C-alpha cells in the first residue's frame, strides 16, 4: 500500500509538472523568442544607462518585423522539451525531499502542508532543485537544442520544421550534435534550478511563518497560500535565479547555434566550433563584446522568467489539487 501510494504521488507530481510547464511555456513564448534573438546576436555594443531603453526599442523593431505566429516559432519542440523537463524535475525533486528528510511518508513533501513545509531544512530545497534540474536537463536536452535553433534561424528559414532540423543535425554532426552545449547547460542548471526552487521554498516558508504569527490575532489559515501569494513567491524566485545565471544561459545559446547558416539580418553567424569550452566562450565574448555581451537579452529574460516561474508554480499547485481529487 505504501509503495502504491508513492507511485501514485510520483505520477501526480510528474503529470502536474508537465501541465504547469506546458502552460507556462505557451504563455511566455513571445518573450522567450525575443530573448533568444538577443542572446544569439554577436553584434558589439557597450553598456550605457540607455541600454535598457535601447534594448526595448530593438525588441519593438523585431516585433514589428515579426509575424504573430513567429512569436511561437519553435514552440512545439519547446513543449516537447518543457513537458518532460518539468515532469522529471518536479517528480525527482519531491522524491529527493522525502529521501533527504528521512521520511517515507509521501505526504511529507506536500507543498500545501504548512507544518511539514516549515520543518524541512532550507538546504534540502536548494540541493533537490539542483539535482532534479540536472536529471530533467539530460532527459530533455535534444528538444531544447531544436527549440533554440528554430527560434534563432529567422527568415528565410534554414529548417522548415523540427524534423528537417533533427535529421540535418544527425547527418552533419551525428548524435553528439543533439547535445551541443550540454556542458554549459548543466553548469548553468545547477545554480539556476537550485536558486529557483530554493528561493521559492524560502519565500513560501517566510510567508507561512508570517501568516502563522498573524493567525494568532486574525482568522488566517497559515497552511494555505493564496494565488497572489504563490505568484509573488514565484516572481521573486524567477527574478533571483535568472539574474544570477543569465551569463551562463548566453554561453549555452552560443554553443547551440554554432554553424547555423541564418540570414545575417538576424545577427552575425557563429562559426562552427567557435568555442573550445565554456571558459573559452566566456573569454571570447568578454574580449569581443565586453561584459555587456554576457547580459544580452537580460531584460526580456527577466521579464519572461519572473511570470514564467510564477505561472509554473501556480499551475503546478492547481494541477496537483485537481489530480489528487
Amino acid at each position: 500500500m505504501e509503495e502504491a501510494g508513492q507511485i501514485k504521488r510520483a505520477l501526480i507530481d510528474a503529470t502536474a509538472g508537465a501541465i504547469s510547464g506546458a502552460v507556462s511555456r505557451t504563455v511566455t513564448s513571445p518573450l522567450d523568442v525575443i530573448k533568444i534573438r538577443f542572446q544569439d546576436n554577436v553584434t558589439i555594443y557597450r553598456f550605457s544607462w540607455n541600454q535598457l531603453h535601447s534594448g526595448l526599442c530593438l525588441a519593438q523593431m523585431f516585433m514589428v518585423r515579426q509575424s504573430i505566429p513567429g512569436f511561437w516559432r519553435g514552440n512545439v519542440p519547446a513543449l516537447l522539451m518543457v513537458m518532460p523537463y518539468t515532469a522529471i524535475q518536479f517528480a525527482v525533486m519531491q522524491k529527493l525531499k522525502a529521501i533527504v528528510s528521512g521520511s517515507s511518508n509521501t505526504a511529507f513533501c506536500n507543498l500545501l502542508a504548512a507544518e511539514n513545509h516549515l520543518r524541512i531544512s532550507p538546504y534540502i530545497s536548494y540541493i533537490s532543485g539542483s539535482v532534479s534540474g540536472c536529471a530533467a536537463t539530460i532527459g530533455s536536452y535534444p528538444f531544447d537544442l531544436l527549440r533554440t535553433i528554430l527560434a534563432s534561424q529567422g527568415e528565410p528559414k534554414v529548417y522548415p520544421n523540427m524534423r528537417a532540423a533533427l535529421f540535418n543535425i544527425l547527418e552533419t554532426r551525428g548524435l553528439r550534435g543533439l547535445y551541443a552545449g550540454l556542458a554549459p547547460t548543466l553548469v548553468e542548471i545547477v545554480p539556476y534550478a537550485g536558486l529557483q526552487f530554493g528561493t521559492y521554498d524560502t519565500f513560501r516558508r517566510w510567508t507561512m511563518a508570517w501568516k502563522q504569527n498573524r493567525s494568532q490575532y486574525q482568522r488566517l489559515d497559515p497552511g494555505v497560500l493564496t494565488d497572489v501569494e504563490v505568484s509573488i513567491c514565484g516572481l521573486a524566485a524567477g527574478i533571483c535565479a535568472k539574474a544570477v545565471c543569465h551569463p551562463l544561459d548566453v554561453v549555452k545559446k552560443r554553443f547551440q547555434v554554432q554553424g547555423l547558416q541564418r540570414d545575417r539580418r538576424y545577427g552575425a553567424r557563429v562559426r562552427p566550433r567557435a568555442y573550445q569550452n565554456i571558459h573559452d566562450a566566456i573569454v571570447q565574448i568578454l574580449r569581443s563584446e565586453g561584459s555587456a555581451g554576457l547580459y544580452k537579452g537580460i531584460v526580456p529574460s527577466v521579464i519572461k522568467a519572473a511570470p514564467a516561474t510564477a505561472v509554473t508554480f501556480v499551475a503546478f499547485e492547481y494541477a496537483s489539487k485537481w489530480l489528487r481529487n
Side-chain angles (χ1 to χ4, degrees):
M1 290 293 291
E2 182 178 344
E3 183 179 354
Q6 292 179 356
I7 294 174
K8 180 181 178 181
R9 178 66 198 184
L11 289 174
I12 289 176
D13 290 335
T15 306
I19 293 172
S20 64
V23 172
S24 175
R25 180 59 183 81
T26 302
V27 170
T28 59
S29 178
L31 288 170
D32 195 53
V33 171
I34 294 174
K35 180 202 73 171
I36 291 174
R37 292 292 177 83
F38 272 109
Q39 291 176 324
D40 295 340
N41 185 357
V42 297
T43 305
I44 301 172
Y45 62 83
R46 299 299 178 185
F47 177 82
S48 69
W49 293 109
N50 294 324
Q51 183 178 345
L52 173 60
H53 177 265
S54 300
L56 293 175
C57 288
L58 287 172
Q60 185 178 16
M61 291 171 60
F62 165 72
M63 291 171 66
V64 171
R65 292 191 308 179
Q66 188 78 14
S67 61
I68 296 299
F71 288 109
W72 279 268
R73 179 167 294 142
N75 195 49
V76 172
L79 289 177
L80 293 175
M81 180 271 294
V82 167
M83 293 181 70
Y85 178 90
T86 50
I88 296 170
Q89 189 174 40
F90 275 101
V92 172
M93 184 189 67
Q94 297 291 68
K95 186 62 179 177
L96 284 173
K97 280 185 178 181
I99 294 173
V100 175
S101 64
S103 172
S104 60
N105 183 4
T106 55
F108 183 85
C109 291
N110 185 357
L111 291 177
L112 304 177
E115 183 179 353
N116 290 334
H117 192 85
L118 287 172
R119 64 190 178 93
I120 296 177
S121 170
Y123 299 107
I124 292 179
S125 298
Y126 288 93
I127 296 172
S128 300
S130 297
V131 175
S132 63
C134 286
T137 298
I138 294 172
S140 60
Y141 187 79
F143 295 109
D144 184 23
L145 176 73
L146 292 172
R147 180 278 306 255
T148 300
I149 289 175
L150 292 177
S152 302
Q153 62 182 347
E155 297 287 352
K157 295 181 180 179
V158 179
Y159 304 113
N161 50 50
M162 182 175 63
R163 182 175 178 273
L166 173 63
F167 281 100
N168 181 264
I169 291 172
L170 289 174
E171 181 181 350
T172 57
R173 291 189 276 175
L175 186 61
R176 293 184 60 182
L178 291 176
Y179 288 89
L182 178 60
T185 301
L186 291 176
V187 171
E188 176 210 6
I189 205 64
V190 170
Y192 180 76
L195 283 171
Q196 186 183 43
F197 283 91
T199 53
Y200 174 73
D201 274 4
T202 299
F203 289 130
R204 280 184 62 93
R205 188 176 295 107
W206 290 347
T207 304
M208 288 177 178
W210 173 72
K211 292 186 74 172
Q212 276 191 347
N213 292 332
R214 289 189 62 192
S215 65
Q216 300 175 5
Y217 309 100
Q218 302 180 26
R219 293 183 177 179
L220 296 175
D221 185 356
V224 178
L225 296 185
T226 65
D227 293 341
V228 174
E229 290 168 339
V230 172
S231 299
I232 292 174
C233 291
L235 283 168
I239 292 172
C240 291
K242 183 55 68 175
V244 172
C245 302
H246 185 78
L248 290 172
D249 191 37
V250 173
V251 173
K252 178 189 80 171
K253 292 296 190 296
R254 296 292 179 86
F255 272 98
Q256 290 179 330
V257 299
Q258 288 182 112
L260 178 63
Q261 299 298 311
R262 62 183 174 184
D263 192 286
R264 295 188 182 276
R265 292 177 300 168
Y266 296 91
R269 298 169 182 172
V270 181
R271 70 182 187 279
R273 297 187 177 88
Y275 311 116
Q276 297 178 2
N277 49 49
I278 299 173
H279 178 264
D280 180 58
I282 293 174
V283 170
Q284 287 196 44
I285 292 172
L286 287 173
R287 184 181 300 149
S288 61
E289 304 168 52
S291 58
L294 291 174
Y295 288 90
K296 284 183 175 179
I298 184 66
V299 175
S301 182
V302 170
I303 293 174
K304 177 245 177 182
T309 306
V311 171
T312 298
F313 284 116
V314 172
F316 175 77
E317 298 207 10
Y318 267 107
S320 296
K321 290 178 185 177
W322 179 73
L323 290 169
R324 280 198 304 271
N325 292 331

